[in-house]
Amino acid sequence: MTSNGNDKTQKLSYGGPPMVRIDGALARKMREDQGLTQLYIATVVGVTTDTISRWENRKYPSVKKENALKLAEALGVELEALLDKSDIQENEPDGKTEAGKVAKVTVSEVNDKAGDEPVVDAGGLIHTPVEKQVFWKRIVVAGMLLVMLAAAGFYWYLKGDFGKQIIITADRILPPHVPAGGTFPVIIRLGVSLPDKISLILTEHVPEQVDIIKAVPDWSASTPDRKKIKWIVTSGSGADFTICYMARISSRAKKDSYLMFQGEVTSSLTGRQIFQVNGSTGVRVEPFHWADTNSDGQIDDEEILRVFDELGDRKGLAFGLKEIKEIWSSGGYRWDRKKRKYIAVRQETGNET
Amino acid sequence: MKHEKYHFCRQRGSRGSLLVVRHLMRFIVAFIMCMVLCAGVYAGNDPVTAKFKDKKGKRIAVLVKASSPVPGSVIFTLKLPAGVKLEKASPEPGKYDTNRGEVKWLLRGLSPGTHKIKLNFSKNVNSDDLQAEIRYLNSVTGKLSIFPVGK
């Protein structure tokens, strides 16, 4: 037997074995005319009797060319005699399995419903409507998967911390001056750029002449001499939070000396990156009240408003607000070095209510 | 013909400059209106305002109106006319300089709403003769804001 099938059957557009479309009814007729059983034909071709039955019961089943040749040989005819007149080739397996059966029926049904004719391209490749549909379906599915993947990646980028730079800000507020032996408040404001909760470690180094008396919140760790103190704090919902402590300058500190403070903030999310505490870096040892920022010997309206706005609502630390109010009311003050406290001095001769 | 053309050009030039002036005027008017509007909005957003409730008498009350966000602390300053003394006040002032006739209240923890300061003078006074002002730190700028008390 020679391959007299259509030349088009030698080519495939989307891979797979060469296929031919045979006339099923004709094949049955030829077999019955010769008194051959389906079992015989199946044995010669090398397929099951079910497959032979399916070929015969369908109008124009697509069969592997190799099997079609064996079938023709079993029936004692040329392959051409068995072929469908239109001799259209499909790129579908002949379906030895149940799954294949289902696939084949589907292809046939699609073709029957569509009624489209196969197209031969310039290279002689055959493109059946089903092949085209499958091809475009694959493209669409791949495209959808890509879009979903991109969307998931974008969501992860937006939702997660990936690509976001965490910025931690820390600002220290110190009074410009404090008398030797005097106490003063230190405020450190922390801010985190992320809305999520993160834990921070603030480390504050105070000068030798300065002792930290009390802090709110209380510190988490310190060296025995309290010159290096650490706070572990958790930022909440992106809001800024504050650490406040009261410190005392040694009575032996030299007048006009400038005492430097230094601090840094770290976080597990920022790796080894260290954020320096900005803002005020030091206080000068001068015989003026820490609230008397302009060193004019009295606490004026703006100075008392600033103190009360900043410290008025803070609990747990003794800032000396009552004393500050007395100084504001009196109009002046002096620093009592022995008692280590400010004494309100009435600068006006008028009566006070 | 040449002269006519020149004349035409001049006409166009004057019209153009007229248009520029007109647009400039419109811009200036719009700018002024914006400024007035902004000033109005800004004035409306004063967190603390005050005014004298009574016009005349030995007892005069001052109404201090606070709106959110209320500053942490506010200073109410009253300057007395010569010869007038403050005999009693509720709440009591934090500072009274009798030589200068200046009385100050440090008002802390004001809640949004109207608060009354009752003043008892040594003799009848006219609120027009009283000078008073409100001082607080602007929560945004941190600068001292001073507003006169309305009469």
PDB file of all heavy atoms in Angstrom, chain A residues 263-280:
ATOM      1  N   GLY A 263      21.516  60.978  70.447  1.00  0.00           N
ATOM      2  CA  GLY A 263      20.589  59.840  70.465  1.00  0.00           C
ATOM      3  C   GLY A 263      20.384  59.263  69.086  1.00  0.00           C
ATOM      4  O   GLY A 263      20.639  59.924  68.073  1.00  0.00           O
ATOM      5  N   GLU A 264      19.943  58.015  69.068  1.00  0.00           N
ATOM      6  CA  GLU A 264      19.646  57.383  67.782  1.00  0.00           C
ATOM      7  C   GLU A 264      18.475  56.412  67.935  1.00  0.00           C
ATOM      8  O   GLU A 264      18.178  55.948  69.038  1.00  0.00           O
ATOM      9  CB  GLU A 264      20.867  56.671  67.210  1.00  0.00           C
ATOM     10  CG  GLU A 264      21.331  55.462  67.953  1.00  0.00           C
ATOM     11  CD  GLU A 264      22.611  55.706  68.743  1.00  0.00           C
ATOM     12  OE1 GLU A 264      23.230  56.767  68.589  1.00  0.00           O
ATOM     13  OE2 GLU A 264      22.952  54.832  69.545  1.00  0.00           O
ATOM     14  N   VAL A 265      17.853  56.144  66.791  1.00  0.00           N
ATOM     15  CA  VAL A 265      16.700  55.242  66.777  1.00  0.00           C
ATOM     16  C   VAL A 265      16.956  54.140  65.768  1.00  0.00           C
ATOM     17  O   VAL A 265      17.467  54.403  64.668  1.00  0.00           O
ATOM     18  CB  VAL A 265      15.405  55.995  66.380  1.00  0.00           C
ATOM     19  CG1 VAL A 265      14.189  55.103  66.541  1.00  0.00           C
ATOM     20  CG2 VAL A 265      15.233  57.244  67.194  1.00  0.00           C
ATOM     21  N   THR A 266      16.628  52.929  66.159  1.00  0.00           N
ATOM     22  CA  THR A 266      16.739  51.796  65.232  1.00  0.00           C
ATOM     23  C   THR A 266      15.439  51.002  65.276  1.00  0.00           C
ATOM     24  O   THR A 266      14.651  51.124  66.213  1.00  0.00           O
ATOM     25  CB  THR A 266      17.900  50.860  65.607  1.00  0.00           C
ATOM     26  OG1 THR A 266      17.722  50.460  66.960  1.00  0.00           O
ATOM     27  CG2 THR A 266      19.242  51.523  65.426  1.00  0.00           C
ATOM     28  N   SER A 267      15.267  50.194  64.224  1.00  0.00           N
ATOM     29  CA  SER A 267      14.089  49.329  64.157  1.00  0.00           C
ATOM     30  C   SER A 267      14.470  48.067  63.412  1.00  0.00           C
ATOM     31  O   SER A 267      15.376  48.078  62.564  1.00  0.00           O
ATOM     32  CB  SER A 267      12.960  50.054  63.439  1.00  0.00           C
ATOM     33  OG  SER A 267      11.989  49.132  63.014  1.00  0.00           O
ATOM     34  N   SER A 268      13.754  47.000  63.703  1.00  0.00           N
ATOM     35  CA  SER A 268      14.049  45.737  63.008  1.00  0.00           C
ATOM     36  C   SER A 268      13.740  45.873  61.520  1.00  0.00           C
ATOM     37  O   SER A 268      14.355  45.223  60.686  1.00  0.00           O
ATOM     38  CB  SER A 268      13.218  44.612  63.611  1.00  0.00           C
ATOM     39  OG  SER A 268      11.846  44.933  63.513  1.00  0.00           O
ATOM     40  N   LEU A 269      12.781  46.730  61.168  1.00  0.00           N
ATOM     41  CA  LEU A 269      12.395  46.881  59.767  1.00  0.00           C
ATOM     42  C   LEU A 269      13.406  47.698  58.966  1.00  0.00           C
ATOM     43  O   LEU A 269      13.411  47.650  57.742  1.00  0.00           O
ATOM     44  CB  LEU A 269      11.017  47.545  59.667  1.00  0.00           C
ATOM     45  CG  LEU A 269       9.839  46.701  60.142  1.00  0.00           C
ATOM     46  CD1 LEU A 269       8.556  47.493  60.035  1.00  0.00           C
ATOM     47  CD2 LEU A 269       9.725  45.422  59.340  1.00  0.00           C
ATOM     48  N   THR A 270      14.212  48.462  59.648  1.00  0.00           N
ATOM     49  CA  THR A 270      15.164  49.304  58.926  1.00  0.00           C
ATOM     50  C   THR A 270      16.558  48.678  58.882  1.00  0.00           C
ATOM     51  O   THR A 270      17.505  49.305  58.412  1.00  0.00           O
ATOM     52  CB  THR A 270      15.255  50.698  59.572  1.00  0.00           C
ATOM     53  OG1 THR A 270      15.602  50.529  60.945  1.00  0.00           O
ATOM     54  CG2 THR A 270      13.964  51.445  59.473  1.00  0.00           C
ATOM     55  N   GLY A 271      16.660  47.451  59.368  1.00  0.00           N
ATOM     56  CA  GLY A 271      17.942  46.749  59.315  1.00  0.00           C
ATOM     57  C   GLY A 271      18.983  47.442  60.163  1.00  0.00           C
ATOM     58  O   GLY A 271      18.756  47.759  61.319  1.00  0.00           O
ATOM     59  N   ARG A 272      20.120  47.688  59.528  1.00  0.00           N
ATOM     60  CA  ARG A 272      21.206  48.307  60.279  1.00  0.00           C
ATOM     61  C   ARG A 272      21.153  49.833  60.214  1.00  0.00           C
ATOM     62  O   ARG A 272      22.051  50.502  60.709  1.00  0.00           O
ATOM     63  CB  ARG A 272      22.553  47.824  59.716  1.00  0.00           C
ATOM     64  CG  ARG A 272      22.811  46.367  60.026  1.00  0.00           C
ATOM     65  CD  ARG A 272      24.045  45.889  59.302  1.00  0.00           C
ATOM     66  NE  ARG A 272      24.303  44.486  59.581  1.00  0.00           N
ATOM     67  CZ  ARG A 272      25.075  44.052  60.567  1.00  0.00           C
ATOM     68  NH1 ARG A 272      25.653  44.903  61.352  1.00  0.00           N
ATOM     69  NH2 ARG A 272      25.269  42.766  60.751  1.00  0.00           N
ATOM     70  N   GLN A 273      20.132  50.349  59.545  1.00  0.00           N
ATOM     71  CA  GLN A 273      20.040  51.806  59.400  1.00  0.00           C
ATOM     72  C   GLN A 273      19.741  52.464  60.754  1.00  0.00           C
ATOM     73  O   GLN A 273      18.851  52.025  61.484  1.00  0.00           O
ATOM     74  CB  GLN A 273      18.946  52.166  58.405  1.00  0.00           C
ATOM     75  CG  GLN A 273      19.027  53.606  57.950  1.00  0.00           C
ATOM     76  CD  GLN A 273      18.009  53.895  56.858  1.00  0.00           C
ATOM     77  OE1 GLN A 273      17.253  53.035  56.438  1.00  0.00           O
ATOM     78  NE2 GLN A 273      18.004  55.132  56.402  1.00  0.00           N
ATOM     79  N   ILE A 274      20.500  53.490  61.055  1.00  0.00           N
ATOM     80  CA  ILE A 274      20.336  54.199  62.321  1.00  0.00           C
ATOM     81  C   ILE A 274      19.877  55.624  62.020  1.00  0.00           C
ATOM     82  O   ILE A 274      20.430  56.299  61.158  1.00  0.00           O
ATOM     83  CB  ILE A 274      21.669  54.216  63.106  1.00  0.00           C
ATOM     84  CG1 ILE A 274      22.018  52.786  63.546  1.00  0.00           C
ATOM     85  CG2 ILE A 274      21.575  55.137  64.316  1.00  0.00           C
ATOM     86  CD1 ILE A 274      23.409  52.645  64.111  1.00  0.00           C
ATOM     87  N   PHE A 275      18.840  56.042  62.708  1.00  0.00           N
ATOM     88  CA  PHE A 275      18.327  57.400  62.534  1.00  0.00           C
ATOM     89  C   PHE A 275      18.757  58.237  63.735  1.00  0.00           C
ATOM     90  O   PHE A 275      18.461  57.876  64.879  1.00  0.00           O
ATOM     91  CB  PHE A 275      16.802  57.383  62.421  1.00  0.00           C
ATOM     92  CG  PHE A 275      16.300  56.626  61.229  1.00  0.00           C
ATOM     93  CD1 PHE A 275      16.076  55.263  61.293  1.00  0.00           C
ATOM     94  CD2 PHE A 275      16.068  57.274  60.034  1.00  0.00           C
ATOM     95  CE1 PHE A 275      15.626  54.556  60.198  1.00  0.00           C
ATOM     96  CE2 PHE A 275      15.608  56.585  58.924  1.00  0.00           C
ATOM     97  CZ  PHE A 275      15.393  55.219  59.010  1.00  0.00           C
ATOM     98  N   GLN A 276      19.433  59.323  63.465  1.00  0.00           N
ATOM     99  CA  GLN A 276      19.909  60.193  64.536  1.00  0.00           C
ATOM    100  C   GLN A 276      18.749  61.036  65.081  1.00  0.00           C
ATOM    101  O   GLN A 276      17.821  61.386  64.352  1.00  0.00           O
ATOM    102  CB  GLN A 276      21.001  61.144  64.014  1.00  0.00           C
ATOM    103  CG  GLN A 276      22.296  60.439  63.632  1.00  0.00           C
ATOM    104  CD  GLN A 276      22.993  59.775  64.810  1.00  0.00           C
ATOM    105  OE1 GLN A 276      22.997  60.307  65.913  1.00  0.00           O
ATOM    106  NE2 GLN A 276      23.552  58.585  64.576  1.00  0.00           N
ATOM    107  N   VAL A 277      18.805  61.317  66.356  1.00  0.00           N
ATOM    108  CA  VAL A 277      17.811  62.207  66.949  1.00  0.00           C
ATOM    109  C   VAL A 277      18.223  63.640  66.609  1.00  0.00           C
ATOM    110  O   VAL A 277      19.339  64.071  66.920  1.00  0.00           O
ATOM    111  CB  VAL A 277      17.738  62.016  68.483  1.00  0.00           C
ATOM    112  CG1 VAL A 277      16.756  63.004  69.098  1.00  0.00           C
ATOM    113  CG2 VAL A 277      17.330  60.586  68.814  1.00  0.00           C
ATOM    114  N   ASN A 278      17.331  64.331  65.927  1.00  0.00           N
ATOM    115  CA  ASN A 278      17.610  65.717  65.518  1.00  0.00           C
ATOM    116  C   ASN A 278      17.047  66.688  66.554  1.00  0.00           C
ATOM    117  O   ASN A 278      16.645  66.289  67.624  1.00  0.00           O
ATOM    118  CB  ASN A 278      17.000  65.980  64.138  1.00  0.00           C
ATOM    119  CG  ASN A 278      17.598  65.068  63.088  1.00  0.00           C
ATOM    120  OD1 ASN A 278      18.815  64.896  63.024  1.00  0.00           O
ATOM    121  ND2 ASN A 278      16.751  64.463  62.275  1.00  0.00           N
ATOM    122  N   GLY A 279      16.974  67.918  66.172  1.00  0.00           N
ATOM    123  CA  GLY A 279      16.453  68.951  67.068  1.00  0.00           C
ATOM    124  C   GLY A 279      17.559  69.515  67.946  1.00  0.00           C
ATOM    125  O   GLY A 279      18.717  69.627  67.516  1.00  0.00           O
ATOM    126  N   SER A 280      17.182  69.852  69.170  1.00  0.00           N
ATOM    127  CA  SER A 280      18.168  70.427  70.097  1.00  0.00           C
ATOM    128  C   SER A 280      19.217  69.382  70.456  1.00  0.00           C
ATOM    129  O   SER A 280      18.889  68.210  70.689  1.00  0.00           O
ATOM    130  CB  SER A 280      17.484  70.898  71.369  1.00  0.00           C
ATOM    131  OG  SER A 280      16.369  71.683  71.066  1.00  0.00           O
TER     132      SER A 280
END
